[in-house]
Amino acid sequence: MHTNSVPKKPSPGLIGRLRTSLRALALGALASVSAFAVTAPALAEVPLDQLVRIVAEGGNSFTRTFNPFSPTARWVSTRTMYEPLMIQNYATGKLDPWLATAYEWSADALSLTVTLRDDVKWSDGQPFSADDVKFTFELMKANPGLIGPAAGAFSQYLSSVEAVDAKTVKFTFSSTYTPGLYSLVDQFIVPQHIWKDVADPVTFENPDPVGTGPFTTIDAFGTDRYQVTKNPNYWQPLNIEGVFVQGFNGNDQVSAATLSGNLDWGGLVPDPDVTFVPLDPEHFGYWWPRTSVVLLLANTTDGALGDPVVRKAMSMALDRQRMINTGVWGKSVAANATGLPEAPFKDWLDAKVIADGAAWVSIDPDAANKMLDEAGYAKGADGIRVGKDGKPLKYDIIVPSGWNDWVSACQIVAENLKDIGIDVTLRTTTADSWTNSTFTGQFQLSLGTAQRTATPFEFYRNNMATTSVKPVGEASPNNQQRYGDPKVDELLAKFAASTDAAEQKAIIAELEGMFSAAAPAIPLYEQPDWGLYNTRRFTGFPNEQDPYAPLSLQMTNGPLLVWPHLARRAE
Amino acid sequence: MSLSESFGARARRQLLGSIPVTVGLVILGALVAASALAQVLAPYNPKRATGGINEPPSLTHLFGTTGQGQDVLSQFLYGGQNTLWVAFSIAVLTTLLALIVALTAAYFRGWVDDVLTLVTNVFLVIPGLPLVVVLAAFLPPGPLTMIMVLTITGWAFGARLFRSQALSLREREFIAAAEDVGESRWRIVAIELLPNMGSVVAAYFVNQVIFAITAQASLEFLGLGDGGQITWGSMLFWAQNSSALIRGAWWTFVVPGMAIALTAFSLALINNAVDEIGNPRLRADRLLRKAGVRKPSATLMTPVKRDA
Amino acid sequence: MYYIAKRLAFYVLAAFVAITVNFFLPRLTPGDPASTIVATYSTSLNAESLAALKAAYGLTDEPLLQQYVTYLGNVLRGDFGRSLSNFPAPVMAVIGAGFGWSILLGLTSVLLSFVLGSVLGAVAAWRRGGWFDRLTPPVLLFLGSFPYFFLALLLFYVFCFKLGWFPMGNAYSSVNPPALNLSGIGDILLHLIAPAFTIVLVSLGPWTLNMRNAMIGVLSEDYLTLAEAKGLPPRRVLLSHAVRTALLPNITALGAAVGAVFSGQLLTEIVFTYPGLGYALMRAVSAVDYPLMQALFLIITLSVLAANFLVDTLYVLLDPRVRTGGEA
């Protein structure tokens, strides 16, 4: 069943012929020796040509772990099996109803009432109800090792969850925290009738999941691939049978499979306009919307890097366009001075802040040199500037070795900063070692990106609030640069307590101005969300013309929105 | 009769006359010289982008450019420097370590020998690459880590080889004679044993250079080297990282790969010749063939126990 | 049997050393598995969640020695804990089938290059000085000079991607492992060709050269000359006496080769997406997955030890001199 559908298939040649005859021999002999044949496992496999072939998980030692609370469980766990109440759609910027149809805040913003759909059933036929929602949140409260979007809600702002009736859930808050909405409705829900009997939900492997999602049946599972097929009770119409997930070991292997047309929905091939689309312009396409910004992070606890003048001068030495051309084949734009991506936050961006800050996010090495000279960072004998503590401005920039776009950006950073007398050495590490160093603040320069969120609230909290600053050595995914301003805390608190959109917008504009003034992180360019598709067999993928959902397979919030739109192309 | 003189003289005479050795020496010499002169020969700064992305070979960039726009020729030259000194250091260190262990065992004999042999055998049976991968993952990446890791995991075979060579030499009459005369054991090791192991040590050393170059490249390819340092292995790593082959940029891949293969090949050619000289049977066979005798007569041969 | 018992004792000792190294190596180096957890979960973990997860992962603050004793006990019971990078799957489930595929690929390639190399070496020695003898060693040396991964990538690109002769990775076509009938086995073999071929190409050289050199030695020995003088046909002399004698050193080398091939095999598996242990090891290392790394390292070591022991035993059967208790 090795379907090789390269458009121009070369003639098979010697080994190809050998292979064909081997196969013929095998098939011919099959009839005569079938008495000896070991019978195949008695699973009804949906044929591969009915399944959407995707590349989403690396590796080839797949285990049947579908515990949605573990981020290292199978990819499908939270993309086809368990569903949240609502989905923040980063392509449209809207909160799409899902298991829930609506939400309503109380006047004091201390309680949130969510109405559920009444036609949802679990994949085993049991009805889905408010009790399952209440159970999921209480399960997470009782087991802090269960991680999901709403983890920690109880310790921060949530006081109780109530099932008012079968279709109504009421969240009661301990303090006003309107951004909590997005975390609560984003939480995937597990069935009470199954999970109440699980002894330890944290280590539960969940090999035969029961969920509300479109594909919950595992009808075939191998060491390096598996297929998940229809939930017979799904609450939406579906035009496809299921998903086929295959593991790959590296970029080259993924690219090879993608270019050969062996994948229907995938991640990344280098320079798709040249390598990918021309192979089959009618069917091959990609869409890289931008919902985040790549930031150059300078550890503010490290001498001169704590000086905003130095950070801004560094920013002005950088050739952003070259980073975009080399790293992402020209498919992005330079970031603005607010640190926020344009498309998802267009309603929040303040044009004046962007215009005023344009200078420090544009290339101008002469001005940068002048700024540093004036600030007293004189050049030493070796041409490297010396900090006020007498230490030369010599830094390491760390980056995970497989992340090509970031690595080439770091190379350019190192090159550009030499021009203003700052010596930067590129150090590539494994992804996990890099995460360790950056999370614990044990680095000098690094790249980072913001979590995708519904509002800019989290971006400024995670990059400027004192509450997000952890001591160096303690791991935290946020505020790796260790920059905190108490004024930001006040503004964020005001934002969180507000239900007035206009007031919230004004607060964010003020935060944007503070970001542009202090440069707690250096915005480089907008990070594309990789996604490409092949419509030879399936149609309906979101793209620039029909941007109904993100195309990226890596976001938790994309695939669930896409499945109901896909359809098998008629032969 | 001391075998060392005859070995040296024989080596000179035979090595220089052989075609494979000449080919090997020419390739190796060219690669070493080019790398040594990188600072003079390299047309560009190997770390800077000096051209477009993945430009095919042209007059401005003889070996093309990388996925980051750097000059492949310059990277090849500087990379050779970094690759070769690390490889030779590893070969020197593993050979020395193996010799020290083997000769200590041969000198002290008894329980020291037993313990050292046991340690050697344990190192021999523990598979190399997984251990190296695990070790390299936990140490900061860089040439020193590379040298340390590959030395620790690479010496054991040599120790076993040298020890059995020393043991078989010890049985020889001239050593027994020296022992009878009452020469000190150290003297016997230093004056009688060591020089007579010349051919084995030389062959082992050359083998270790090959081992070090490929092992280093493998580790770097897996991303366990220092990606900021230009070596042939890291060139391959970056080529693979930017999907060079899929994008058709074969030059970023073939240049460092061939550099590694040619270095190893030239060393292997030399080694094979050294091996023939060190192996009396093959040597006699060759001499006879030269003399036009198709099959050597058995009377010319004295069977020598050789460790495979 | 004294010889075999002695070797067995040695392998048990070597296994113990490996188990110990395996435990202390990751722990003696800086790095905190707890921050790996934070990194994995990436959302803002509070202290309570972190503590709960550390407990679930089996990370304790007990003294190292006490952990070591617990670890030894667990290893003896075959309990390697849960994989950090595949949580909550037990480590053994992650290794699971991968082990079988690695063994299949490893054995196929070692045996293939052993047989092929010995045949080529014997032919070269028999026709020494001829064109075959002159051409074979340099060509094989050249092929053997390539790093495994380089040749693997080239073959992958040319034969799997460009020409499409072989599948682009995996061990079989279907999702569930195929049934062991003719078509199933054919399918498995088809997927085996490209990776096995890579390993054979790189590792063929030493087998051939060793065999050739050993054969030349053996061919010159008295009894062969005598046999030839007695008028025995040359083919029979070659087959019955020379090859068998000359094979012995190659068989000794077989044990060591299993270890060496295993190393090259890991890289080949990664390139061909072959579902063996190679990628699992890489993944474990890059994800700082201690339990998985430990189990993999141990399993690989134990397999190599077992292979060595098998070869030792085989050697005893083939060479009567060893049975009386010669040098080990």
Side-chain angles (χ1 to χ4, degrees):
Chain A
M1 267 201 306
H2 176 72
T3 46
N4 196 337
S5 40
V6 186
K8 280 170 288 176
K9 194 162 186 278
S11 63
L14 177 68
I15 300 184
R17 266 178 274 138
L18 191 75
R19 181 174 70 167
T20 322
S21 43
L22 184 76
R23 211 166 261 175
L25 181 82
L27 290 173
L30 188 64
S32 54
V33 295
S34 57
F36 298 100
V38 179
T39 34
L43 270 170
E45 263 185 59
V46 174
L48 189 53
D49 67 332
Q50 295 302 316
L51 302 174
V52 181
R53 299 162 304 179
I54 63 168
V55 50
E57 289 191 80
N60 50 24
S61 310
F62 290 162
T63 49
R64 278 182 80 135
T65 39
F66 300 102
N67 183 333
F69 296 102
S70 164
T72 53
R74 295 279 67 75
W75 178 87
V76 290
S77 310
T78 51
R79 274 87 166 192
T80 77
M81 290 175 171
Y82 295 94
E83 296 179 307
L85 298 173
M86 297 182 126
I87 297 177
Q88 177 65 34
N89 186 332
Y90 293 116
T92 59
K94 291 193 176 71
L95 194 57
D96 289 356
W98 210 250
L99 293 181
T101 51
Y103 67 87
E104 200 187 346
W105 284 106
S106 64
D108 58 2
L110 276 173
S111 80
L112 176 72
T113 308
V114 174
T115 313
L116 305 179
R117 294 185 70 91
D118 53 11
D119 55 353
V120 178
K121 276 186 184 159
W122 293 101
S123 53
D124 61 356
Q126 300 266 350
F128 162 82
S129 80
D131 289 330
D132 292 309
V133 179
K134 177 180 156 69
F135 171 79
T136 301
F137 280 89
E138 286 177 351
L139 187 72
M140 291 176 76
K141 187 185 182 186
N143 297 278
L146 296 179
I147 305 301
F154 277 101
S155 57
Q156 288 170 43
Y157 51 83
L158 193 62
S159 72
S160 70
V161 182
E162 259 172 274
V164 178
D165 58 49
K167 298 299 153 208
T168 313
V169 182
K170 190 174 161 200
F171 296 93
T172 309
F173 283 54
S174 51
S175 59
T176 337
Y177 186 74
T178 49
L181 162 75
Y182 302 100
S183 302
L184 296 178
V185 298
D186 194 25
Q187 178 58 48
F188 47 81
I189 307 301
V190 296
Q192 180 177 21
H193 65 280
I194 305 281
W195 286 71
K196 68 178 164 51
D197 300 324
V198 172
D200 181 2
V202 178
T203 57
F204 178 45
E205 289 172 59
N206 196 17
D208 297 296
V210 171
T212 58
F215 312 113
T216 49
T217 315
I218 302 127
D219 74 343
F221 199 92
T223 32
D224 53 1
R225 71 202 88 168
Y226 58 89
Q227 56 190 51
V228 188
T229 47
K230 260 187 191 169
N231 164 4
N233 299 306
Y234 195 48
W235 52 274
Q236 290 188 78
L238 284 172
N239 300 314
I240 53 172
E241 293 299 320
V243 188
F244 175 69
V245 183
Q246 196 177 347
F248 290 92
N249 287 352
N251 292 348
D252 261 355
Q253 287 74 13
V254 176
S255 299
T258 309
L259 298 180
S260 309
N262 289 345
L263 293 170
D264 299 304
W265 188 0
L268 182 60
V269 289
D271 207 356
D273 280 336
V274 176
T275 57
F276 180 60
V277 179
L279 294 178
D280 187 353
E282 197 190 329
H283 299 110
F284 287 1
Y286 69 97
W287 182 40
W288 292 352
R290 302 181 300 267
T291 54
S292 180
V293 167
V294 180
L295 304 164
L296 172 61
L297 301 177
N299 192 330
T300 57
T301 63
D302 193 305
L305 294 180
D307 184 347
V309 175
V310 174
R311 295 197 296 269
K312 286 194 165 181
M314 284 166 65
S315 171
M316 292 162 74
L318 301 177
D319 188 346
R320 290 173 169 78
Q321 195 53 47
R322 215 182 110 207
M323 295 180 193
I324 294 166
N325 290 344
T326 342
V328 299
W329 309 284
K331 306 283 175 225
S332 182
V333 293
N336 65 52
T338 64
L340 298 176
E342 307 246 1
F345 292 143
K346 50 185 178 295
D347 297 339
W348 298 94
L349 287 174
D350 188 292
K352 187 168 179 307
V353 174
I354 292 176
D356 291 349
W360 78 271
V361 291
S362 309
I363 183 165
D364 190 350
D366 297 335
N369 268 315
K370 211 170 137 224
M371 268 168 70
L372 290 173
D373 289 339
E374 281 168 7
Y377 294 95
K379 280 187 183 170
D382 53 356
I384 305 301
R385 292 180 187 277
V386 179
K388 287 166 184 158
D389 50 5
K391 281 201 212 130
L393 271 56
K394 284 191 175 183
Y395 304 108
D396 282 346
I397 186 163
I398 54 169
V399 65
S401 53
W403 302 13
N404 302 327
D405 46 339
W406 282 24
V407 170
S408 68
C410 286
Q411 277 180 335
I412 294 166
V413 167
E415 251 182 62
N416 288 160
L417 292 186
K418 285 224 170 64
D419 300 338
I420 58 165
I422 298 177
D423 188 47
V424 174
T425 310
L426 171 66
R427 301 238 177 263
T428 54
T429 65
T430 62
D432 292 77
S433 145
W434 173 79
T435 319
N436 265 338
S437 306
T438 50
F439 280 25
T440 54
Q442 287 155 331
F443 72 100
Q444 293 178 307
L445 295 173
S446 169
L447 296 190
T449 182
Q451 282 175 36
R452 288 168 193 85
T453 48
T455 73
F457 173 83
E458 286 86 354
F459 176 76
Y460 290 116
R461 186 191 62 197
N462 296 349
N463 281 292
M464 296 174 82
T466 60
T467 48
S468 66
V469 178
K470 288 271 181 331
V472 169
E474 191 177 320
S476 161
N478 303 319
N479 210 331
Q480 297 168 1
Q481 66 270 29
R482 266 74 184 159
Y483 176 91
D485 181 345
K487 178 91 200 307
V488 173
D489 300 354
E490 282 170 35
L491 286 170
L492 291 172
K494 259 168 74 187
F495 181 98
S498 166
T499 48
D500 175 12
E503 188 194 0
Q504 287 191 329
K505 198 181 163 185
I507 294 169
I508 293 294
E510 202 174 331
L511 287 167
E512 289 170 12
M514 291 176 72
F515 182 90
S516 179
I522 301 165
L524 297 179
Y525 57 89
E526 296 193 359
Q527 169 81 55
D529 301 322
W530 319 115
L532 37 89
Y533 54 82
N534 162 7
T535 58
R536 284 184 193 156
R537 308 193 315 158
F538 295 94
T539 55
F541 294 101
N543 58 23
E544 209 153 0
Q545 287 75 45
D546 185 13
Y548 67 85
L551 184 64
S552 166
L553 284 163
Q554 289 318 314
M555 289 185 202
T556 10
N557 307 35
L560 278 175
L561 294 165
V562 175
W563 303 124
H565 290 255
L566 298 186
R568 181 79 171 93
R569 193 186 274 277
E571 293 293 340
Chain B
M1 177 193 88
S2 170
L3 283 170
S4 64
E5 290 159 20
S6 64
F7 171 75
R10 200 169 67 226
R12 269 192 296 282
R13 201 177 57 245
Q14 293 186 352
L15 281 175
L16 294 178
S18 132
I19 297 173
V21 172
T22 317
V23 173
L25 282 177
V26 167
I27 298 175
L28 186 66
L31 284 166
V32 170
S35 309
L37 295 175
Q39 276 77 355
V40 184
L41 293 176
Y44 302 97
N45 180 337
K47 292 192 176 181
R48 286 237 164 188
T50 51
I53 295 158
N54 282 337
E55 278 180 22
S58 67
L59 280 179
T60 38
H61 297 281
L62 281 179
F63 286 176
T65 62
T66 68
Q68 264 88 35
Q70 301 130 327
D71 182 52
V72 175
L73 173 62
S74 308
Q75 290 211 329
F76 156 72
L77 295 168
Y78 278 95
Q81 224 167 52
N82 294 333
T83 307
L84 291 176
W85 85 258
V86 170
F88 278 98
S89 310
I90 293 167
V92 168
L93 286 175
T94 47
T95 310
L96 275 181
L97 190 59
L99 264 180
I100 290 170
V101 170
L103 293 180
T104 310
Y107 171 79
F108 285 107
R109 307 179 196 179
W111 68 269
V112 177
D113 185 18
D114 289 343
V115 169
L116 286 176
T117 306
L118 186 68
V119 172
T120 309
N121 284 341
V122 167
F123 266 91
L124 262 180
V125 289
I126 293 180
L129 189 83
L131 183 62
V132 168
V133 165
V134 172
L135 266 174
F138 288 112
L139 298 169
L144 289 182
T145 297
M146 194 64 78
I147 293 175
M148 211 174 90
V149 164
L150 290 179
T151 303
I152 291 174
T153 51
W155 61 272
F157 181 72
R160 186 166 84 170
L161 187 69
F162 297 159
R163 178 180 163 274
S164 66
Q165 179 79 7
L167 287 183
S168 85
L169 280 172
R170 224 176 56 194
E171 306 302 317
R172 300 278 183 81
E173 282 164 25
F174 62 98
I175 303 233
E179 278 183 349
D180 289 344
V181 176
E183 283 201 48
S184 78
R185 278 209 240 171
W186 273 126
R187 214 182 132 72
I188 294 175
V189 167
I191 305 287
E192 308 288 353
L193 277 185
L194 199 51
N196 282 311
M197 293 167 65
S199 80
V200 176
V201 175
Y204 176 75
F205 174 81
V206 173
N207 255 331
Q208 285 306 96
V209 181
I210 302 176
F211 153 78
I213 286 185
T214 39
Q216 189 192 355
S218 303
L219 282 185
E220 281 164 347
F221 174 73
L222 289 175
L224 293 168
D226 176 3
Q229 179 112 3
I230 294 170
T231 63
W232 291 338
S234 73
M235 286 172 76
L236 285 172
F237 170 72
W238 289 121
Q240 142 95 356
N241 232 308
S242 50
S243 302
L245 279 179
I246 303 288
R247 292 166 81 182
W250 51 268
W251 51 90
T252 61
F253 196 79
V254 169
V255 169
M258 284 309 282
I260 293 171
L262 280 178
T263 313
F265 178 55
S266 63
L267 287 164
L269 281 178
I270 297 169
N271 201 25
N272 218 28
V274 173
D275 196 38
E276 293 220 353
I277 293 161
N279 186 339
R281 270 184 200 150
L282 295 174
R283 182 174 78 240
D285 184 59
R286 211 173 127 224
L287 290 174
L288 285 167
R289 265 193 284 121
K290 263 194 182 159
V293 181
R294 203 187 155 260
K295 265 180 209 164
S297 142
T299 48
L300 271 171
M301 302 294 162
T302 339
V304 177
K305 185 176 182 286
R306 217 181 98 75
D307 202 301
Chain C
M1 279 309 98
Y2 170 71
Y3 170 74
I4 291 189
K6 206 173 111 187
R7 295 306 287 165
L8 194 59
F10 164 71
Y11 288 123
V12 170
L13 182 80
F16 177 74
V17 171
I19 289 171
T20 306
V21 168
N22 199 9
F23 173 82
F24 285 102
L25 196 63
R27 285 172 179 78
L28 289 181
T29 46
D32 173 18
S35 46
T36 306
I37 298 178
V38 182
T40 312
Y41 288 85
S42 206
T43 41
S44 1
L45 273 186
N46 53 32
E48 207 187 348
S49 298
L50 186 61
L53 282 172
K54 272 176 83 172
Y57 279 111
L59 301 169
T60 59
D61 298 325
E62 286 173 13
L64 208 56
L65 214 61
Q66 198 175 332
Q67 288 186 44
Y68 177 61
V69 174
T70 320
Y71 159 81
L72 281 184
N74 288 344
V75 167
L76 283 180
R77 275 184 284 117
D79 175 9
F80 290 94
R82 288 177 197 276
S83 159
L84 267 63
S85 61
N86 281 280
F87 192 78
V91 162
M92 285 325 268
V94 179
I95 294 176
F99 182 62
W101 294 116
S102 271
I103 295 279
L104 176 68
L105 176 59
L107 279 188
T108 313
S109 350
V110 170
L111 289 181
L112 217 57
S113 51
F114 172 76
V115 171
L116 212 60
S118 301
V119 169
L120 289 179
V123 172
W126 191 244
R127 300 250 171 264
R128 65 184 175 281
W131 65 268
F132 186 78
D133 184 33
R134 280 177 212 214
L135 214 61
T136 314
V139 167
L140 291 183
L141 281 182
F142 185 63
L143 286 174
S145 304
F146 286 99
Y148 279 99
F149 68 89
F150 183 77
L151 209 61
L153 273 170
L154 280 187
L155 293 182
F156 172 78
Y157 177 71
V158 175
F159 294 107
C160 304
F161 178 64
K162 274 285 166 188
L163 298 174
W165 290 358
F166 301 110
M168 289 194 287
N170 306 120
Y172 48 85
S173 312
S174 53
V175 178
N176 283 317
L180 287 179
N181 51 33
L182 261 184
S183 78
I185 292 172
D187 185 56
I188 290 174
L189 286 181
L190 182 66
H191 285 76
L192 196 61
I193 294 175
F197 189 57
T198 309
I199 302 174
V200 170
L201 272 191
V202 180
S203 58
L204 198 54
W207 295 122
T208 312
L209 293 180
N210 282 350
M211 185 65 186
R212 172 185 171 270
N213 294 353
M215 273 286 283
I216 289 178
V218 174
L219 283 175
S220 67
E221 269 169 34
D222 292 339
Y223 69 97
L224 283 184
T225 322
L226 193 72
E228 226 173 323
K230 272 168 39 189
L232 287 174
R235 198 168 296 271
R236 248 189 84 194
V237 174
L238 176 77
L239 288 178
S240 62
H241 298 285
V243 171
R244 200 156 26 133
T245 321
L247 263 182
L248 277 177
N250 251 10
I251 289 179
T252 335
L254 201 57
V258 174
V261 163
F262 220 109
S263 300
Q265 181 184 345
L266 298 181
L267 294 161
T268 312
E269 283 175 5
I270 291 173
V271 172
F272 285 102
T273 323
Y274 202 77
L277 300 182
Y279 183 78
L281 180 71
M282 248 343 275
R283 182 69 208 120
V285 165
S286 68
V288 210
D289 189 341
Y290 292 75
L292 184 56
M293 215 180 329
Q294 284 178 344
L296 280 170
F297 182 71
L298 200 63
I299 280 184
I300 293 173
T301 308
L302 290 183
S303 327
V304 172
L305 290 183
N308 272 288
F309 183 68
L310 270 178
V311 169
D312 276 353
T313 315
L314 185 68
Y315 195 75
V316 173
L317 295 177
L318 285 176
D319 189 352
R321 282 173 298 178
V322 192
R323 266 179 253 170
T324 52
E327 197 210 335

